[in-house]
Amino acid sequence: MAHHLITGAASGIGFLIAQTLLRRGDHVWAVDLDVAGLSKLQVHASSPAHLRTGALDVRDAEAWERLMGDIAAQWPQLDTVMNVAGVLRPEYVGQTSTASIHLQIDVNTKGLIFGTEAAARLMVPRRHGHIINIASIAGVSPVPGCAIYCASKFAARGYSLSVAQELRAHGVKVTAICPDAVATPMLGPDNLRPEAAMIFSGSGPMPPDKVVQAVLKAMNKAPVEIILPGWRALLAKTASLAPGLTSSVFGLMIWLGRRRLARTTGQPPH
């Protein structure tokens, strides 16, 4: 019976991962700033003892250390740490607020790093564990209109791929999962803006259960990286290899994204 720690578990992808693992009888330690949202997980636990919840600000390195101390004291082992918490603030360059820059870098990058570092300190001496970091396809390809989010996810992905090579010698696995846009509260009304057009340039946000399936695959096979869906992965890799040659393609994708946003919001495309 496996033991998992999941951040950002009060809603979206984190909630669905926790729900799935609880339903199969695993132990889950679910954390988020939204403690009320975490309470909704209890109905999915086969036993009250299978679910622990608590508040965690992933930006607080000391809070991470306290959490790992609690886990070490209360659980016989920690099999998986899943860094899921993330934020998105679409904004054009030159119009980005200082608060938005700090928030996205602090949560998406530093929070993930703090979690990985804390997990490694617990897992390496035991030579056991798997760290699964939810990055983004925005960490593979440029995303005009979401430059700070993109930067935060490029950093998260690069860090994850690097420490995967470090930790494999210590018996600890690391997987970076890089999904395209996902239909979660992160893509709610506040982010249905022209700046986010590139995010909506595909066939539409994917169902969050696709990411849950990728997490289950990662837990089973422990690849270093999963990018999904496959066709967007190919496009993203190409754009990353030759960004100067893909400008015209980006223009078309932004146009498509604005049209899809317009249909969603009922507003004319900008």
Side-chain angles (χ1 to χ4, degrees):
M1 194 175 295
H3 294 70
H4 315 281
L5 169 64
I6 306 171
T7 73
S11 65
I13 296 169
F15 185 93
L16 287 177
I17 295 171
Q19 179 188 76
T20 300
L21 296 176
L22 285 168
R23 284 178 171 174
R24 75 179 199 176
D26 288 357
H27 289 264
V28 171
W29 201 307
V31 295
D32 202 298
L33 283 175
D34 178 9
V35 179
L38 293 173
S39 66
K40 299 174 184 177
L41 285 168
Q42 192 64 64
V43 298
H44 303 290
S46 57
S47 162
H50 283 212
L51 174 65
R52 287 174 170 81
T53 62
L56 176 70
D57 185 339
V58 298
R59 299 168 292 182
D60 186 340
E62 293 182 357
W64 269 108
E65 295 303 324
R66 290 193 296 271
L67 174 60
M68 286 299 171
D70 290 342
I71 289 173
Q74 298 183 43
W75 274 357
Q77 64 187 37
L78 177 59
D79 299 292
T80 315
V81 170
M82 303 184 196
N83 288 299
V84 184
V87 294
L88 167 66
R89 296 291 185 272
E91 291 168 304
Y92 291 130
V93 62
Q95 301 173 10
T96 310
S97 68
T98 301
S100 176
I101 294 171
H102 283 304
L103 179 65
Q104 293 180 86
I105 298 295
D106 286 350
V107 173
N108 299 343
T109 305
K110 291 165 68 176
L112 178 145
I113 290 173
F114 290 152
T116 302
E117 296 281 341
R121 282 189 281 274
L122 182 61
M123 292 175 170
V124 166
R126 303 179 181 189
R127 298 190 63 83
H128 172 79
H130 189 180
I131 301 167
I132 298 177
N133 289 336
I134 304 298
S136 170
I137 207 164
V140 183
S141 170
V143 184
C146 299
I148 302 302
Y149 179 77
C150 189
S152 73
K153 292 298 188 175
F154 258 83
R157 174 175 174 258
Y159 171 82
S160 299
L161 298 181
S162 298
V163 298
Q165 303 307 318
E166 289 185 37
L167 293 178
R168 64 189 301 179
H170 301 283
V172 177
K173 298 164 285 190
V174 179
T175 301
I177 298 180
C178 303
D180 199 359
V182 183
T184 67
M186 184 182 286
L187 293 183
D190 290 345
N191 285 333
L192 299 179
R193 300 159 51 184
E195 296 96 318
M198 189 76 169
I199 294 174
F200 292 89
S201 61
S203 56
M206 73 174 70
D209 65 279
K210 297 291 185 183
V211 184
V212 176
Q213 291 171 18
V215 168
L216 295 176
K217 176 183 176 181
M219 291 171 61
N220 184 39
K221 299 185 177 180
V224 173
E225 182 174 57
I226 298 174
I227 306 174
L228 64 153
W231 72 272
R232 291 279 276 189
L234 179 61
L235 184 62
K237 288 282 191 178
T238 302
S240 184
L241 285 171
L245 299 178
T246 54
S247 296
S248 59
V249 176
F250 278 6
L252 174 61
M253 293 175 69
I254 291 171
W255 178 80
L256 287 170
R258 286 175 176 169
R259 288 180 63 86
R260 291 190 173 112
L261 273 173
R263 288 198 296 270
T264 301
T265 62
Q267 301 294 323
H270 296 273

